[in-house]
Amino acid sequence: QYRASSNQAARKKDETGERSRKRKRTVVAPPARVDRWLVTAAQDETEISLPFWNNMQAYAKHIGAEIKVAGFTYNKSLFEDHASRTAVFAEAVQPYMTHEDEYLGPLLFAAKMNILPTAVRPLSGLETYSRGAWAIFPHAKRQLVSVPALADKHPAMVMTSGTCTVPNYIEKKAGLKAEFHHTIGCTIVEVDDMGRVFCRQLDAGRDGSIQDLDVMVRNGEVFENQTVEQISWGDIHREKLDPVVAMTAWGLDIESGVVTDAENSMFHKLRPRHQAFHDLLDFQARNHHRKGDHHFMFQMLRDGTDRVEDGLKACAAFLRATSADWCKSVVVASNHNDALPRWLREADPREDPANLRIWCHLNDKLYSAIEEGNTEFDVVQYAMSRYDERGLADIAFVPRNGSYVVCQEHGGIETALHGDQGPNGARGTATSMIKVATRMNVGHAHSAAILDGVYVAGLCGLMDQGYNSGPSGWTHTQIVTYPNSKRTLVTFIDGKYRA
């Protein structure tokens, strides 16, 4: 009996020790720390938008965020103190008010900056105020600027906050213009455990509701697993697509061309009804910008990237891999796509044996279209569709001067302008595009921006495109449009689109 009980005790001791060793081998990583703030502004002697305020409070509680409110003054007489600290603000915001600049992680909340709400360009001259750090300035008008940084650093985003108070302006020209651009909303700031900053615009709908990616807050209730209306991706440049961005955006492994991580990708998480692709084709093989550069031509020959057909095949495969039955993919006419028909017009195929046959074939199709009077023939669409089993029949190719409007029931947002061509023959910039009397999502610049009703995406391609050098404001930024027509910019950093 003694021996038996001793054996049992020994076995029990061994089992206990084994469980202890197993526990020691199982390392449970602590949850990553994420600090969050909801940042907004308030005008003195002005009522708050109560529906929005309640929804912001509910969302802050839901995500564990701290609310920060900075004040700005308006219509003060000459002999009064213009400082926001001595102004009178709505009682509801007073516990959250701050009157001094403070850092939210590495981001500067410039609460001390009292900018007139009628300022046409509230960020004018403030790009360097934060000394290269991300920054938010309290203001009722949305504006965002990507501040160029040196090659080894990420550009800083400088932006305005939105406001929690209702419009309250003098009915003169400056006041009426400011009221038109008045934005009730806030900005979410997320800082992860590596100090990376993620900011998004949370603009209120007519009912005061707000949406942040896949979360909707309405009437004080939080609803998760929401979808979005549209994503305008940054310029694709398929032959130079950044593999980390491709994985983050679509879960796409560009080496195999297969979606391998759909569950964690932004596309499959947000499930947009539409997605727009700008500069889908980079056309590096024969782009006119490198014409006559025999060093570059030799490098492409060495790397095996000198065949036009390979770029077209890659684009077709990309469109198929990123398609979904719940989303309409839209290819926007762009200057890099246009490099293909320009090559067909200007190149001498006798000097390019590697691409002679595809040049002859596509020109033959173009001549046939001209002969038949077919003015709607799109050689870019045809060239890519040849390499897809379904002929890319489910993909929309919007031609130059075409249109693709989303959120039509809310006034509409034009999403089929690339942004390279401005009005009346002017060069395409955010400043020139705001002269068009419509809201729009554009690409082309590679530097994210918000200016009046124009939102500008960044790029999905590699930061080194082979022709850019020096300080840069380029970012991997996408435009997300919600069903109520409100929008936000989402910037990818190190394979993440949120903290």
Side-chain angles (χ1 to χ4, degrees):
Q1 287 181 340
Y2 177 77
R3 285 195 297 270
S5 61
S6 298
N7 291 339
Q8 289 175 356
R11 285 197 300 270
K12 187 174 182 180
K13 182 178 180 180
D14 290 342
E15 291 172 359
T16 303
E18 180 64 21
R19 286 197 299 269
S20 177
R21 285 191 294 274
K22 286 182 178 179
R23 283 198 298 271
K24 290 179 181 178
R25 287 199 297 265
T26 305
V27 179
V28 179
R33 176 184 174 87
V34 178
D35 295 314
R36 293 185 175 91
W37 295 267
L38 295 182
V39 177
T40 189
Q43 182 177 327
D44 65 325
E45 300 180 359
T46 305
E47 296 179 358
I48 64 170
S49 170
L50 191 57
F52 163 72
W53 182 258
N54 290 338
N55 288 326
M56 185 174 67
Q57 292 272 355
Y59 191 46
K61 182 179 180 180
H62 180 72
I63 62 176
E66 183 180 355
I67 294 175
K68 294 283 185 177
V69 182
F72 59 88
T73 60
Y74 177 59
N75 194 29
K76 290 286 185 180
S77 69
L78 179 64
F79 301 103
E80 289 187 38
D81 183 359
H82 289 251
S84 65
R85 69 177 64 253
T86 59
V88 178
F89 294 92
E91 184 177 353
V93 306
Q94 291 179 15
Y96 307 94
M97 293 286 295
T98 180
H99 300 286
E100 296 292 338
D101 293 354
E102 62 177 296
Y103 279 92
L104 311 179
L107 177 142
L108 174 67
F109 182 31
K112 192 176 182 179
M113 187 63 64
N114 187 359
I115 307 171
L116 274 175
T118 54
V120 176
R121 297 286 178 267
L123 296 179
S124 177
L126 296 177
E127 294 87 350
T128 59
Y129 184 84
S130 59
R131 294 178 172 85
W134 287 55
I136 299 178
F137 293 86
H139 203 269
K141 181 179 182 179
R142 285 291 186 200
Q143 187 184 358
L144 182 145
V145 177
S146 179
V147 181
L150 297 177
D152 61 338
K153 296 183 179 180
H154 193 282
M157 296 285 192
V158 175
M159 67 201 79
T160 54
S161 62
T163 182
C164 62
T165 49
V166 299
N168 181 16
Y169 301 97
I170 298 172
E171 291 190 356
K172 302 282 283 185
K173 180 180 179 181
L176 293 174
K177 286 169 59 180
E179 183 174 355
F180 179 78
H181 293 290
H182 186 94
T183 302
I184 294 176
C186 62
T187 300
I188 184 171
V189 179
E190 296 181 326
V191 179
D192 68 9
D193 57 343
M194 298 295 290
R196 291 171 289 212
V197 180
F198 300 85
C199 291
R200 297 181 296 277
Q201 293 70 41
L202 277 59
D203 294 347
R206 294 176 182 175
D207 59 353
S209 62
I210 54 176
Q211 184 167 348
D212 180 25
L213 300 178
D214 58 335
V215 179
M216 165 71 74
V217 189
R218 179 183 287 115
N219 298 326
E221 293 187 65
V222 178
F223 304 92
E224 297 184 330
N225 300 317
Q226 303 298 298
T227 60
V228 304
E229 183 69 13
Q230 194 252 14
I231 299 177
S232 287
W233 302 103
D235 292 4
I236 303 298
H237 297 282
R238 174 57 189 89
E239 299 95 308
K240 301 174 184 175
L241 179 61
D242 189 300
V244 177
V245 172
M247 184 61 67
T248 308
W250 303 278
L252 176 66
D253 177 10
I254 63 173
E255 292 296 327
S256 65
V258 176
V259 173
T260 59
D261 190 18
E263 182 180 352
N264 294 315
S265 71
M266 189 172 92
F267 177 66
H268 291 86
K269 184 68 173 178
L270 302 187
R271 294 175 66 88
R273 292 183 58 207
H274 315 266
Q275 61 175 337
F277 298 121
H278 293 259
D279 273 340
L280 172 62
L281 175 67
D282 181 79
F283 205 63
Q284 69 165 345
R286 289 297 180 265
N287 196 291
H288 55 275
H289 291 300
R290 306 304 290 264
K291 186 177 181 180
D293 186 345
H294 53 89
H295 295 147
F296 178 72
M297 298 290 284
F298 182 76
Q299 181 179 340
M300 287 198 301
L301 182 64
R302 184 203 67 180
D303 296 341
T305 57
D306 64 328
R307 293 177 58 85
V308 170
E309 198 166 13
D310 290 341
L312 298 172
K313 288 179 179 178
C315 287
F318 170 83
L319 289 173
R320 179 55 55 215
T322 58
S323 64
D325 56 6
W326 35 263
C327 179
K328 184 68 175 180
S329 295
V330 180
V331 178
V332 177
S334 312
N335 57 305
H336 274 261
N337 294 356
D338 290 347
L340 171 62
R342 177 169 178 169
W343 175 69
L344 294 175
R345 289 193 305 270
E346 299 177 355
D348 185 345
R350 297 172 300 176
E351 298 176 358
D352 189 6
N355 294 298
L356 185 149
R357 294 188 65 183
I358 187 67
W359 185 94
C360 290
H361 176 78
L362 295 180
N363 262 303
D364 178 58
K365 290 297 179 180
L366 274 170
Y367 274 108
S368 296
I370 295 171
E371 189 175 45
E372 297 166 2
N374 182 5
T375 58
E376 297 182 356
F377 178 73
D378 185 343
V379 70
V380 175
Q381 178 181 7
Y382 171 78
M384 294 180 185
S385 65
R386 297 174 66 234
Y387 306 106
D388 180 65
E389 291 182 358
R390 297 160 59 182
L392 300 179
D394 55 328
I395 310 295
F397 284 75
V398 182
R400 282 288 185 181
N401 302 319
S403 176
Y404 196 92
V405 178
V406 299
C407 300
Q408 297 187 41
E409 64 276 20
H410 296 283
I413 298 174
E414 179 59 69
T415 65
L417 293 182
H418 179 51
D420 58 321
Q421 297 179 348
N424 303 320
R427 182 183 178 186
T429 63
T431 305
S432 67
M433 299 305 284
I434 65 173
K435 298 177 182 178
V436 183
T438 186
R439 292 179 294 172
M440 61 183 71
N441 298 341
V442 301
H444 181 61
H446 295 182
S447 294
I450 299 175
L451 192 61
D452 294 357
V454 176
Y455 279 56
V456 184
L459 79 161
C460 289
L462 296 166
M463 287 299 175
D464 182 5
Q465 289 285 304
Y467 56 83
N468 56 306
S469 61
S472 172
W474 290 9
T475 57
H476 291 136
T477 303
Q478 334 302 331
I479 307 170
V480 174
T481 302
Y482 299 119
N484 64 358
S485 81
K486 303 304 177 182
R487 292 169 287 176
T488 186
L489 295 182
V490 178
T491 298
F492 293 2
I493 300 177
D494 298 336
K496 299 177 66 175
Y497 66 93
R498 65 194 310 175

